[in-house]
Amino acid sequence: KQEVTQIPAALSVPEGENLVLNCSFTDSAIYNLQWFRQDPGKGLTSLLLIQSSQREQTSGRLNASLDKSSGRSTLYIAASQPGDSATYLCAVPPGNNNDMRFGAGTRLTVKP
Amino acid sequence: GAGVSQSPRYKVAKRGQDVALRCDPISGHVSLFWYQQALGQGPEFLTYFQNEAQLDKSGLPSDRFFAERPEGSVSTLKIQRTQQEDSAVYLCASSSAATVGEQFFGPGTRLTVL
């Protein structure tokens, strides 16, 4: 069974710092990996989708990398801003099924 | 519509009541998913539809949970005889892909069972 782990569970940084969020998964036979953002009391907003054949994806200040063989993905946030404060979740579909397996998330706080 | 919508956004039920949660996926999206999210946790898969066919319901926690998508668009998740442990946020997602693809989530329905 696919298990997804995110470290750290919570992170607090001053504004302007670059930071890295980590995601690991136990079964490397994945089709893709998706990073989401969730604000308190809200649904999930898709940030980046990395296909299994890709090494990384970039969107603005966000960069996500994928290393299938080691079962790891990282989300890099450059020049963090208070508006980046949210919970960040990574998710992978197990095997050829469609349901996503989620990590518990990293709760990020960026202090002004 | 422009995104996935869910209703109601908040639902309070007395233990033993039946509830129905609605999901309107992005127009034309083939796949629809329901997830349950407990406080402080990531979402947990409940069930998956491809058009009107329910292809996977392995995540439904008990036979009190039932989902349908009769016309391949709107979906309803029904919980019968609600229990306190059913309190959670119920998220719906849709995808244009019939196979593995990017999922887009609705805002969720927060269910509180008293």
Side-chain angles (χ1 to χ4, degrees), chain B residues 16-48:
Chain B
Q17 282 186 330
D18 298 348
V19 298
L21 312 180
R22 177 188 169 104
C23 172
D24 282 85
I26 294 172
S27 179
H29 274 196
V30 169
S31 300
L32 185 146
F33 310 82
W34 284 98
Y35 295 86
Q36 180 189 60
Q37 186 175 25
L39 189 64
Q41 300 297 316
E44 295 277 346
F45 169 78
L46 293 177
T47 187
Y48 158 61

Side-chain angles (χ1 to χ4, degrees), chain B residues 29-107:
Chain B
H29 274 196
V30 169
S31 300
L32 185 146
F33 310 82
W34 284 98
Y35 295 86
Q36 180 189 60
Q37 186 175 25
L39 189 64
Q41 300 297 316
E44 295 277 346
F45 169 78
L46 293 177
T47 187
Y48 158 61
F49 290 86
Q50 189 178 111
N51 296 308
E52 69 278 3
Q54 189 175 21
L55 298 188
D56 189 346
K57 54 182 181 180
S58 61
L60 296 176
S62 78
D63 58 7
R64 296 186 295 105
F65 287 71
F66 172 76
E68 60 183 5
R69 194 186 185 197
E71 298 180 356
S73 55
V74 171
S75 177
T76 303
L77 176 66
K78 298 179 180 178
I79 308 173
Q80 297 177 324
R81 304 181 303 281
T82 52
Q83 304 294 317
Q84 284 188 323
E85 61 263 29
D86 299 335
S87 296
V89 175
Y90 290 86
L91 295 164
C92 175
S94 70
S95 170
S96 62
T99 56
V100 181
E102 187 173 10
Q103 296 189 15
F104 298 89
F105 281 75

Side-chain angles (χ1 to χ4, degrees), chain A residues 17-32:
Chain A
E17 271 203 10
N18 302 323
L19 58 98
V20 175
L21 308 181
N22 297 291
C23 172
S24 61
F25 45 95
T26 54
D27 186 350
S28 62
I30 63 169
Y31 281 70
N32 60 49

